[in-house]
């Protein structure tokens, strides 16, 4: 192991300082991020710490560490690195992730930590900033890839929702047909207008498409012909002619069944705690329940947290497992595709309805009877199948990215303590890889 690694205490490597009070009534519009113990908490017009900076929770939420690239305002619920003492800020960010802050917390109902106690934590670190930055750069590349995959997944979800909204909320292909017919156009012209609305291509582009890719043109035309060319009145307002409306119970049911907890792992158990807010999906459960059995779910079920619906926790299950009783599992009836039902329930209007009909004040819980009474559209089955074929690939890519992120996260978590203590030496490993490649090339 390299002699540049030293054993020391955290306080000799960097200096932590308590953040600053900033009541919401005194915050002013600006672009300076305010950082609390749980992360980004708004903006202000003044900073109290220079970036790049590193912040961790001192009171309330403990253990999370945040890297802030710009000047910022750390709140008094945090500890921030006031002095890096010549060390790499990014390396310091990763170093703090290896500290067990809970070991330095008091036993109060709302836990808190003392920075003087944390300063006494034993650490093993490289005294060369070059080594620090090499390690930090390697770890950041992993984190950047995880972040990139998450952003791509969000874009894919937005693409699916945009298509759903165009077809089943705004009825753009139908309205395109109506506009042409009302202007005296032919049925064929109205179909072309619908094709434009569906594909986003103009008339000239459709001509090129027909010449160069006749099968794609025919497929697009067939899809356009599935949309009606008139509207009708309904309890939900104007609706494409021939489409139905009805309660959610007409197209979906709550999944039933039990599974033994002994057959589950923290990877296959879903509770409200490990479902993520704002439709981001799930994380790994921290523990399993003490009960012998819990409700089950299957791949293709749509899981929604029934506690505090305003958090908008939803996930399209990609595997089977178990769930808490406060996680609802929906499955479509025979003529309803998974992708249509998922996008239908994904809408904000559904979560608003859950909240409106929920029971309880401090801990609102969705009313299952009311949920199944939610009025919704019921388009023709052929159109649902076309929609599903178009968006199914999005969910395939999303799951692929999720699998890659799980691997990368495990890799990062495994390497993090080893890299930061010198147990795993990047320079040595890179040298060995280069030598092995040279031997292989010569052979």
């Amino acid at each position: 192991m390299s002699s540049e690694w030293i054993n020391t205490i955290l306080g000799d490597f960097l200096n932590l300082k308590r953040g600053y009070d900033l009541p919401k009534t005194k915050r002013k519009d600006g672009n300076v991020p305010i950082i609390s113990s749980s992360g980004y908490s708004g903006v202000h017009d003044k900073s109290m710490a220079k970036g790049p900076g590193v912040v961790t929770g001192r009171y309330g939420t403990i253990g999370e560490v945040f890297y802030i690239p710009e000047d910022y305002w750390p709140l008094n619920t945090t500890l921030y690195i006031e002095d890096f003492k010549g060390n790499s800020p990014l390396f310091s960010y990763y170093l703090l992730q290896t500290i067990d802050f809970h070991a330095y917390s008091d036993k109060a109902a709302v836990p808190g930590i003392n920075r003087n106690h944390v300063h006494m934590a034993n650490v093993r670190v490289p005294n060369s900033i070059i080594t620090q930055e090499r390690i930090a750069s390697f770890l950041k590349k992993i984190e950047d890839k995880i972040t990139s995959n998450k952003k791509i997944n969000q874009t894919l979800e937005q693409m699916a929702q945009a298509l759903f909204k165009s077809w089943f909320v705004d009825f753009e292909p139908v309205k395109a047909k109506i506009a042409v017919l009302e202007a005296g156009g032919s049925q064929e012209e109205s179909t072309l207008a619908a094709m434009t609305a569906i594909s986003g291509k103009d008339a000239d582009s459709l001509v090129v498409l027909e010449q160069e890719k006749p099968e794609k043109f025919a497929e697009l035309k067939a899809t356009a012909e599935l949309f009606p060319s008139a509207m009708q009145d309904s309890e939900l307002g104007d609706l494409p002619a021939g489409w139905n409306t009805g309660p959610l119970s007409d197209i979906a049911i709550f999944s039933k069944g039990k599974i033994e907890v002994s057959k589950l792992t923290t990877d296959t158990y879903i509770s409200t705690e490990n479902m993520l807010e704002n439709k981001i999906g799930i994380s790994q459960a921290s523990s399993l329940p003490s009960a012998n059995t819990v409700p089950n779910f299957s791949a293709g079920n749509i899981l929604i947290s029934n506690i505090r619906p305003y958090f908008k926790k939803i996930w399209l299950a990609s595997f089977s497992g178990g769930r808490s009783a406060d996680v609802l599992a929906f499955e479509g009836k025979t003529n309803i595709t998974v992708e249509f039902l998922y996008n239908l329930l994904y809408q904000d209007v559904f979560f608003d309805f859950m909240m409106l009909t929920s029971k309880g004040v401090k801990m609102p819980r969705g009313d299952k009877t009311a949920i199944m009474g939610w009025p919704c559209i019921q388009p023709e089955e052929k159109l649902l199948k076309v929609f599903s074929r178009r968006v199914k690939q999005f969910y395939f890519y999303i799951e692929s990215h999720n699998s890659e992120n799980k691997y990368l996260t495990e890799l990062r978590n495994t390497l993090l303590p080893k890299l930061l203590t010198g147990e795993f030496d990047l320079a040595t490993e890179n040298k060995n890889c280069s030598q092995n490649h040279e031997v292989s090339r010569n052979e």
Side-chain angles (χ1 to χ4, degrees), residues 268-284:
T268 57
Y269 178 68
I270 308 299
S271 71
T272 58
E273 286 75 19
N274 66 305
M275 294 194 76
L276 303 177
E277 298 177 22
N278 296 317
K279 311 173 185 178
I280 298 179
I282 60 170
S283 61
Q284 185 177 22

Side-chain angles (χ1 to χ4, degrees), residues 77-98:
T77 57
T78 70
L79 294 174
Y80 74 99
I81 299 181
E82 178 193 31
D83 185 1
F84 290 94
K85 299 186 177 181
N87 294 299
S88 163
L90 191 58
F91 179 88
S92 300
Y93 159 69
Y94 291 113
L95 177 64
L96 288 191
Q97 292 185 42
T98 67

Side-chain angles (χ1 to χ4, degrees), residues 254 306 323 325 328 357 359 365-373:
F254 289 124
N306 201 34
R323 56 189 167 91
L328 306 177
T357 57
K359 297 178 179 179
R365 178 181 274 103
D367 184 299
K368 295 170 81 171
T369 300
I371 288 170
M372 278 301 174

Side-chain angles (χ1 to χ4, degrees), residues 224-245:
E225 289 172 343
L226 293 175
F227 287 93
S229 55
M231 301 289 282
Q232 64 184 17
D233 292 333
S234 78
E235 62 176 309
L236 296 178
D238 288 342
L239 197 71
W243 292 13
N244 296 319
T245 64

Side-chain angles (χ1 to χ4, degrees), residues 257-274:
K258 295 282 187 177
I259 187 172
E260 295 177 6
V261 173
S262 61
K263 295 181 179 179
L264 299 173
T265 68
T266 53
D267 285 324
T268 57
Y269 178 68
I270 308 299
S271 71
T272 58
E273 286 75 19
N274 66 305

